[in-house]
Amino acid sequence: DAIAHIDMHRRIFARKNKFPLIDDGYSESLHTQLIHETLDVIAENGVRLELNPHIAELTGNITDMYPSLYVTERALEKGIKFTFGSDAHKPQSVGTCLKELWEHEVYKKALATWET
C-alpha cells in the first residue's frame, strides 16, 4: 500500500566509492525522468509514499528526508497521498522529526494527506 525510499538513489550515488552500484554513466536527469514516470504509476494505482526521516535524523537537516522535497512536491501535484514511517533503528527514534515536518510548508501538506 506504500512505497518507501523512492529516491534512495540520491544517497547511494552521493557516496562514491562506497557502493559497487556506481555507474560512470549516472545522470540526474535520467533519474528525474524515471521518478516522474514512477510517480505517474503510483498515482494511477493509489499507492502512498512514505515520509521517512531516518537520514534527516542522522544529519539534523529536514531536507534529507525520503522522499526529497522535489519528489514530495511532484507527488503532491499528482494527488499522491503519504504515510509516515520512522525507519526507527532504535526505540527512541520512533516518531522522530515529526514536529519539524509539521513546521515545514511542503512536508506539512504531505502529512495532511495521511489518514488512519
Side-chain angles (χ1 to χ4, degrees), residues 53-84:
H54 178 67
I55 302 301
E57 177 190 22
L58 295 176
T59 65
N61 187 347
I62 199 66
T63 60
D64 288 336
M65 286 284 300
Y66 290 116
S68 69
L69 186 58
Y70 176 82
V71 173
T72 301
E73 290 172 326
R74 300 300 74 78
L76 286 167
E77 289 170 0
K78 294 175 185 290
I80 294 172
K81 294 185 178 184
F82 289 80
T83 188
F84 178 78

Short mmCIF file of all heavy atoms in Angstrom, two decimals, residues 53-84:
data_model
loop_
_atom_site.label_atom_id
_atom_site.label_comp_id
_atom_site.label_asym_id
_atom_site.label_seq_id
_atom_site.Cartn_x
_atom_site.Cartn_y
_atom_site.Cartn_z
N PRO A 53 12.03 10.04 7.93
CA PRO A 53 13.03 11.00 8.38
C PRO A 53 14.34 10.38 8.88
O PRO A 53 15.14 11.08 9.49
CB PRO A 53 12.32 11.70 9.53
CG PRO A 53 11.51 10.60 10.14
CD PRO A 53 11.06 9.75 8.98
N HIS A 54 14.58 9.11 8.63
CA HIS A 54 15.76 8.47 9.22
C HIS A 54 17.06 9.23 8.92
O HIS A 54 17.83 9.52 9.82
CB HIS A 54 15.87 7.02 8.76
CG HIS A 54 17.07 6.32 9.29
ND1 HIS A 54 17.23 6.05 10.63
CD2 HIS A 54 18.19 5.88 8.68
CE1 HIS A 54 18.39 5.45 10.82
NE2 HIS A 54 18.99 5.33 9.65
N ILE A 55 17.31 9.55 7.67
CA ILE A 55 18.55 10.25 7.32
C ILE A 55 18.52 11.69 7.86
O ILE A 55 19.52 12.21 8.33
CB ILE A 55 18.81 10.24 5.80
CG1 ILE A 55 18.88 8.79 5.29
CG2 ILE A 55 20.07 11.01 5.45
CD1 ILE A 55 19.97 7.94 5.94
N ALA A 56 17.35 12.32 7.83
CA ALA A 56 17.22 13.67 8.39
C ALA A 56 17.58 13.66 9.88
O ALA A 56 18.20 14.61 10.38
CB ALA A 56 15.80 14.20 8.18
N GLU A 57 17.19 12.61 10.57
CA GLU A 57 17.55 12.50 11.99
C GLU A 57 19.07 12.41 12.14
O GLU A 57 19.66 13.06 13.01
CB GLU A 57 16.90 11.27 12.61
CG GLU A 57 17.28 11.06 14.06
CD GLU A 57 16.85 9.73 14.62
OE1 GLU A 57 16.62 8.78 13.84
OE2 GLU A 57 16.77 9.63 15.85
N LEU A 58 19.71 11.64 11.28
CA LEU A 58 21.16 11.46 11.37
C LEU A 58 21.92 12.75 11.04
O LEU A 58 22.92 13.07 11.68
CB LEU A 58 21.62 10.35 10.43
CG LEU A 58 21.13 8.94 10.74
CD1 LEU A 58 21.60 7.97 9.66
CD2 LEU A 58 21.59 8.49 12.12
N THR A 59 21.44 13.47 10.02
CA THR A 59 22.16 14.67 9.57
C THR A 59 21.71 15.94 10.28
O THR A 59 22.40 16.95 10.23
CB THR A 59 21.98 14.89 8.06
OG1 THR A 59 20.59 15.18 7.79
CG2 THR A 59 22.45 13.69 7.24
N GLY A 60 20.52 15.91 10.89
CA GLY A 60 19.99 17.10 11.52
C GLY A 60 19.40 18.09 10.53
O GLY A 60 19.14 19.24 10.86
N ASN A 61 19.17 17.64 9.30
CA ASN A 61 18.65 18.51 8.25
C ASN A 61 17.35 17.92 7.69
O ASN A 61 17.37 16.85 7.07
CB ASN A 61 19.69 18.66 7.14
CG ASN A 61 19.29 19.68 6.10
OD1 ASN A 61 18.15 20.11 6.04
ND2 ASN A 61 20.24 20.05 5.27
N ILE A 62 16.23 18.60 7.89
CA ILE A 62 14.94 18.07 7.48
C ILE A 62 14.86 17.84 5.98
O ILE A 62 14.09 17.01 5.51
CB ILE A 62 13.79 18.99 7.98
CG1 ILE A 62 12.45 18.24 7.97
CG2 ILE A 62 13.70 20.26 7.18
CD1 ILE A 62 12.36 17.12 8.93
N THR A 63 15.67 18.52 5.19
CA THR A 63 15.63 18.31 3.74
C THR A 63 16.33 17.02 3.31
O THR A 63 16.33 16.70 2.13
CB THR A 63 16.23 19.51 2.98
OG1 THR A 63 17.58 19.68 3.38
CG2 THR A 63 15.43 20.77 3.24
N ASP A 64 16.87 16.28 4.26
CA ASP A 64 17.44 14.96 3.95
C ASP A 64 16.40 13.85 4.11
O ASP A 64 16.73 12.70 4.31
CB ASP A 64 18.66 14.68 4.83
CG ASP A 64 19.86 15.51 4.44
OD1 ASP A 64 19.92 15.94 3.27
OD2 ASP A 64 20.73 15.74 5.29
N MET A 65 15.14 14.23 4.02
CA MET A 65 14.02 13.28 4.12
C MET A 65 13.96 12.38 2.90
O MET A 65 14.45 12.71 1.84
CB MET A 65 12.70 14.06 4.16
CG MET A 65 12.41 14.77 5.43
SD MET A 65 11.87 13.64 6.70
CE MET A 65 10.40 12.95 5.96
N TYR A 66 13.29 11.26 3.09
CA TYR A 66 12.80 10.47 1.95
C TYR A 66 11.29 10.63 1.96
O TYR A 66 10.66 10.43 2.99
CB TYR A 66 13.13 8.99 2.11
CG TYR A 66 14.57 8.66 1.97
CD1 TYR A 66 15.28 8.14 3.03
CD2 TYR A 66 15.23 8.86 0.77
CE1 TYR A 66 16.62 7.83 2.91
CE2 TYR A 66 16.58 8.56 0.64
CZ TYR A 66 17.25 8.04 1.71
OH TYR A 66 18.57 7.73 1.58
N PRO A 67 10.68 10.97 0.85
CA PRO A 67 11.34 11.40 -0.36
C PRO A 67 11.86 12.84 -0.22
O PRO A 67 11.48 13.56 0.68
CB PRO A 67 10.25 11.32 -1.42
CG PRO A 67 8.96 11.43 -0.69
CD PRO A 67 9.21 10.90 0.69
N SER A 68 12.68 13.20 -1.17
CA SER A 68 13.24 14.55 -1.18
C SER A 68 12.11 15.57 -1.33
O SER A 68 10.98 15.24 -1.69
CB SER A 68 14.21 14.71 -2.34
OG SER A 68 13.50 14.69 -3.57
N LEU A 69 12.45 16.79 -1.08
CA LEU A 69 11.48 17.88 -1.22
C LEU A 69 10.94 17.90 -2.65
O LEU A 69 9.73 18.03 -2.87
CB LEU A 69 12.15 19.20 -0.86
CG LEU A 69 11.26 20.43 -0.83
CD1 LEU A 69 10.11 20.26 0.15
CD2 LEU A 69 12.08 21.66 -0.48
N TYR A 70 11.83 17.77 -3.63
CA TYR A 70 11.42 17.78 -5.04
C TYR A 70 10.41 16.68 -5.32
O TYR A 70 9.35 16.92 -5.92
CB TYR A 70 12.64 17.61 -5.95
CG TYR A 70 12.28 17.52 -7.41
CD1 TYR A 70 12.05 18.67 -8.16
CD2 TYR A 70 12.15 16.29 -8.04
CE1 TYR A 70 11.70 18.60 -9.50
CE2 TYR A 70 11.79 16.20 -9.38
CZ TYR A 70 11.56 17.35 -10.11
OH TYR A 70 11.21 17.28 -11.43
N VAL A 71 10.71 15.46 -4.90
CA VAL A 71 9.81 14.34 -5.16
C VAL A 71 8.49 14.52 -4.40
O VAL A 71 7.42 14.25 -4.94
CB VAL A 71 10.48 13.00 -4.79
CG1 VAL A 71 9.50 11.84 -4.88
CG2 VAL A 71 11.68 12.74 -5.70
N THR A 72 8.56 15.02 -3.19
CA THR A 72 7.34 15.25 -2.41
C THR A 72 6.44 16.27 -3.10
O THR A 72 5.23 16.06 -3.22
CB THR A 72 7.70 15.72 -0.99
OG1 THR A 72 8.51 14.71 -0.37
CG2 THR A 72 6.46 15.94 -0.15
N GLU A 73 7.03 17.35 -3.59
CA GLU A 73 6.24 18.36 -4.30
C GLU A 73 5.59 17.78 -5.55
O GLU A 73 4.42 18.03 -5.83
CB GLU A 73 7.12 19.55 -4.68
CG GLU A 73 7.54 20.39 -3.50
CD GLU A 73 8.57 21.45 -3.85
OE1 GLU A 73 9.42 21.22 -4.74
OE2 GLU A 73 8.51 22.52 -3.22
N ARG A 74 6.35 17.00 -6.33
CA ARG A 74 5.79 16.40 -7.55
C ARG A 74 4.68 15.41 -7.19
O ARG A 74 3.66 15.35 -7.88
CB ARG A 74 6.87 15.66 -8.36
CG ARG A 74 8.06 16.48 -8.85
CD ARG A 74 7.80 17.65 -9.78
NE ARG A 74 7.23 18.82 -9.21
CZ ARG A 74 7.88 19.77 -8.48
NH1 ARG A 74 9.16 19.64 -8.22
NH2 ARG A 74 7.25 20.83 -8.02
N ALA A 75 4.87 14.64 -6.15
CA ALA A 75 3.84 13.68 -5.73
C ALA A 75 2.56 14.39 -5.31
O ALA A 75 1.46 13.96 -5.68
CB ALA A 75 4.38 12.81 -4.60
N LEU A 76 2.69 15.46 -4.56
CA LEU A 76 1.51 16.23 -4.15
C LEU A 76 0.78 16.78 -5.37
O LEU A 76 -0.45 16.77 -5.43
CB LEU A 76 1.92 17.36 -3.21
CG LEU A 76 2.29 16.94 -1.79
CD1 LEU A 76 2.97 18.08 -1.04
CD2 LEU A 76 1.06 16.43 -1.03
N GLU A 77 1.52 17.24 -6.38
CA GLU A 77 0.92 17.75 -7.62
C GLU A 77 0.10 16.67 -8.32
O GLU A 77 -0.89 16.96 -8.98
CB GLU A 77 2.00 18.27 -8.57
CG GLU A 77 2.64 19.56 -8.12
CD GLU A 77 3.88 19.92 -8.94
OE1 GLU A 77 4.24 19.17 -9.88
OE2 GLU A 77 4.49 20.97 -8.64
N LYS A 78 0.55 15.42 -8.18
CA LYS A 78 -0.13 14.29 -8.83
C LYS A 78 -1.22 13.69 -7.96
O LYS A 78 -1.84 12.69 -8.33
CB LYS A 78 0.90 13.23 -9.22
CG LYS A 78 1.89 13.70 -10.28
CD LYS A 78 2.97 12.66 -10.54
CE LYS A 78 4.02 13.17 -11.50
NZ LYS A 78 3.55 13.32 -12.87
N GLY A 79 -1.44 14.27 -6.77
CA GLY A 79 -2.50 13.79 -5.89
C GLY A 79 -2.13 12.55 -5.09
O GLY A 79 -3.02 11.89 -4.53
N ILE A 80 -0.87 12.23 -5.02
CA ILE A 80 -0.42 11.07 -4.25
C ILE A 80 -0.52 11.38 -2.77
O ILE A 80 -0.18 12.48 -2.32
CB ILE A 80 1.02 10.69 -4.65
CG1 ILE A 80 1.03 10.22 -6.11
CG2 ILE A 80 1.60 9.63 -3.72
CD1 ILE A 80 2.41 10.01 -6.70
N LYS A 81 -0.97 10.41 -2.01
CA LYS A 81 -1.08 10.56 -0.56
C LYS A 81 0.15 9.94 0.11
O LYS A 81 0.88 9.17 -0.51
CB LYS A 81 -2.36 9.92 -0.06
CG LYS A 81 -3.58 10.66 -0.58
CD LYS A 81 -4.83 10.14 0.00
CE LYS A 81 -6.00 10.96 -0.54
NZ LYS A 81 -7.25 10.57 0.06
N PHE A 82 0.33 10.30 1.36
CA PHE A 82 1.52 9.88 2.10
C PHE A 82 1.16 9.15 3.38
O PHE A 82 0.05 9.28 3.90
CB PHE A 82 2.37 11.11 2.46
CG PHE A 82 3.05 11.74 1.28
CD1 PHE A 82 2.36 12.58 0.43
CD2 PHE A 82 4.39 11.47 1.01
CE1 PHE A 82 2.98 13.15 -0.67
CE2 PHE A 82 5.02 12.03 -0.09
CZ PHE A 82 4.31 12.87 -0.93
N THR A 83 2.11 8.43 3.87
CA THR A 83 2.07 7.83 5.19
C THR A 83 3.37 8.23 5.88
O THR A 83 4.24 8.82 5.25
CB THR A 83 1.90 6.30 5.12
OG1 THR A 83 1.67 5.79 6.43
CG2 THR A 83 3.10 5.62 4.48
N PHE A 84 3.50 7.93 7.15
CA PHE A 84 4.70 8.30 7.89
C PHE A 84 5.34 7.06 8.47
O PHE A 84 4.67 6.21 9.04
CB PHE A 84 4.35 9.27 9.02
CG PHE A 84 5.53 9.68 9.85
CD1 PHE A 84 6.42 10.63 9.38
CD2 PHE A 84 5.76 9.10 11.08
CE1 PHE A 84 7.53 11.00 10.13
CE2 PHE A 84 6.85 9.47 11.85
CZ PHE A 84 7.74 10.42 11.37
#
